[in-house]
Every structure is written in structure tokens, then in C-alpha cells.
Amino acid sequence: MSKLIAYFGGSFDPIHQGHLATARELVDVFALAKLVFLPTALSPLKQQSLASLHRVAMLKLAIQDDSVFAIDEQELHRPQPSYTIDTLRCLRTQYGTQQSLALIMGMDSFLSLPKWRDWQQLTDFAHLIVVSRPDYDAQFRTELQAWLNNRRCNDRLLLEYQTHGLVYFVATQPHAVSSTDIRARLALGQNTSATLPPRVAAYIQLHHLYGATATNES
Ligand code: ATP
């Protein structure tokens, strides 16, 4: 079992099969003992978000059968705006200097990194694990590429032996699903059953989230 602990940040608005399948794949690839979902507060880069209460409730329903998964709600309780760099700093304080930590993100998030607060310092606290996302290619702008050159790592075992500082890309199975698309489909009364965990679909119906009506069967 790996000593690495990985955190998967996101709005999870709602959590979908793309998140879950990717998380499961990473548990296998890295032999992770623990993968923690880290729901973000209203992202400073995103317009729309549902009440944290519902997003966390759906996350709990989605992971309840997998003991390797956990949830850390710290970002939701922090004064806003909340930035990933602050969370990683807190995690490093919490775990101390000896624990290997990684932050998981999709290629779309990685490409937007230069818009993040103090992005160049993220690897001072944790590794980054970047997963594939359909329609987002590994074409980096100069600034991001230059930063990456000193950090890119092709040996996944190094993420265990070093505590932070590396960026590792995993060619995960493609899952062409996004929360944005799911919200749009729900609002139009279209079927979303292939893209949502069944318990999450049922929760959305029960609470009439995202404009879902009884016609969206799960
Ligand atoms: P939205 O459509 O609202 O932007 P999203 O589907 O991208 O949402 P997020 O909760 O914002 O979901 O994503 C959290 C993290 O998971 C991000 O780093 C994102 O890149 C990654 N991710 C989301 N969907 C997928 C997917 N289908 N495959 C791989 N990674 C994904």
C-alpha cells in the first residue's frame, strides 16, 4: 500500500461518474490507501454553485460503499474567498513534513493553473497528479511549460518517496462527462442516468436540484 495520500479538489456540483471512475483508477494506479474528496467553496473562477450542503450530501452518497474514499470539508468552513494554496498549506501543517501528499486535478484545471492564486507555490506543499480529460490536450503555454520543466516526473514511485514538489500525468480512461452538461440536461428534463451514481440521481430528484423534475428518470 502506498504512503501517498491524494486529495481530489472540485466543485462536485454534482459529483459524477467521471470523477468517481477517475478516482477509482488512481487508487489502483498508485495503490492508494486513502483518496480524499475536497469539495471547494464557491470557486473564484466559477459562476454557479449549489449550496455546499447538497454538494457534500451527494458526495457522501457517492462514496459510501468505498472505504478508501473520504471527504474533507475544510474549504467550506474557511472564510471566503478560499484558495487551493491555503488548503494545501493547512494540509501540510496538519500532516507534518514527512507525509507524501498529492492534489489531483483534470487537464482542464491544470491548463487554467496560471489563473490560480500563488499557483507556482502549490508544489511547495504537495505533488500534483494530472488526469486526462477529453478535449483538453497537453499543450502548455510558455509560463506553465517553464514551471513544469523543473517539476515533471515520470516515475510514479517518486511521489511516494518525495513528500511534495512533483507533477505527474496519468493517462486515465476518458470519461466525456461534466457537471455543467449534467446540470443542463437536468434543467431540460433529459436523462442523466449513465453519468450519475444512482444514489446521487435519486437525491437530485428528491430535492429538485438543478431544475430537475420527476420526468428525469434515474
Ligand atoms: P463543471 O462542468 O461544473 O466545470 P466538472 O465536471 O469539471 O464541473 P469539477 O467538480 O469542477 O467537475 O471537477 C473537479 C476536478 O475533476 C477537476 O480537476 C476536473 O478537471 C476533474 N474532472 C471533472 N470531470 C472529469 C472527467 N470527466 N474526467 C477527468 N477529470 C474530470
Side-chain angles (χ1 to χ4, degrees):
M1 204 56 84
S2 170
K3 288 183 295 184
L4 179 68
I5 298 178
Y7 280 75
F8 195 174
S11 338
F12 305 114
D13 192 12
I15 183 162
H16 54 62
Q17 298 290 22
H19 297 127
L20 276 180
T22 301
R24 289 200 183 100
E25 194 174 341
L26 291 180
V27 166
D28 290 344
V29 167
F30 291 96
L32 295 174
K34 194 161 133 185
L35 187 155
V36 186
F37 289 89
L38 186 70
T40 54
L42 246 183
S43 165
L45 301 179
K46 279 193 179 182
Q47 300 292 315
Q48 188 193 8
S49 185
L50 190 68
S52 305
L53 179 92
H54 286 313
R55 291 188 292 129
V56 171
M58 291 187 283
L59 263 174
K60 286 182 178 163
L61 288 170
I63 67 164
Q64 68 182 28
D65 295 332
D66 276 296
S67 58
V68 68
F69 293 147
I71 302 174
D72 181 336
E73 297 179 39
Q74 66 167 283
E75 280 213 5
L76 306 176
H77 303 307
R78 183 134 358 104
Q80 301 308 315
S82 161
Y83 295 100
T84 302
I85 189 75
D86 300 326
T87 306
L88 294 187
R89 198 177 279 114
C90 284
L91 288 173
R92 182 48 72 198
T93 305
Q94 185 183 320
Y95 283 101
T97 54
Q98 301 303 308
Q99 175 65 53
S100 301
L101 294 173
L103 178 71
I104 300 164
M105 65 179 68
M107 182 60 82
D108 56 315
S109 298
F110 185 72
L111 291 170
S112 77
L113 216 57
K115 292 189 206 153
W116 295 25
R117 168 71 60 102
D118 295 338
W119 65 278
Q120 286 152 315
Q121 276 79 58
L122 291 172
T123 50
D124 291 355
F125 304 102
H127 303 302
L128 300 188
I129 294 174
V130 184
V131 299
S132 313
R133 189 134 191 214
D135 302 329
Y136 292 91
D137 297 331
Q139 301 284 337
F140 309 125
R141 300 173 74 123
T142 319
E143 192 186 18
L144 186 56
Q145 183 64 61
W147 179 82
L148 182 60
N149 286 342
N150 300 323
R151 291 168 178 79
R152 187 164 189 164
C153 150
N154 296 316
D155 178 356
R156 71 180 162 70
L157 291 178
L158 276 184
L159 273 65
E160 217 180 317
Y161 299 129
Q162 275 181 229
T163 55
H164 63 279
L166 304 172
V167 181
Y168 186 84
F169 293 84
V170 189
T172 43
Q173 293 295 316
H175 302 282
V177 44
S178 74
S179 299
T180 302
D181 184 50
I182 290 169
R183 291 193 300 269
R185 293 182 69 83
L186 287 165
L188 291 170
Q190 295 171 349
N191 190 298
T192 52
S193 55
T195 52
L196 286 170
R199 288 194 198 99
V200 172
Y203 184 95
I204 288 171
Q205 295 301 323
L206 182 66
H207 295 277
H208 307 292
L209 305 182
Y210 311 109
T213 62
T215 54
N216 307 115
E217 72 284 10
S218 54

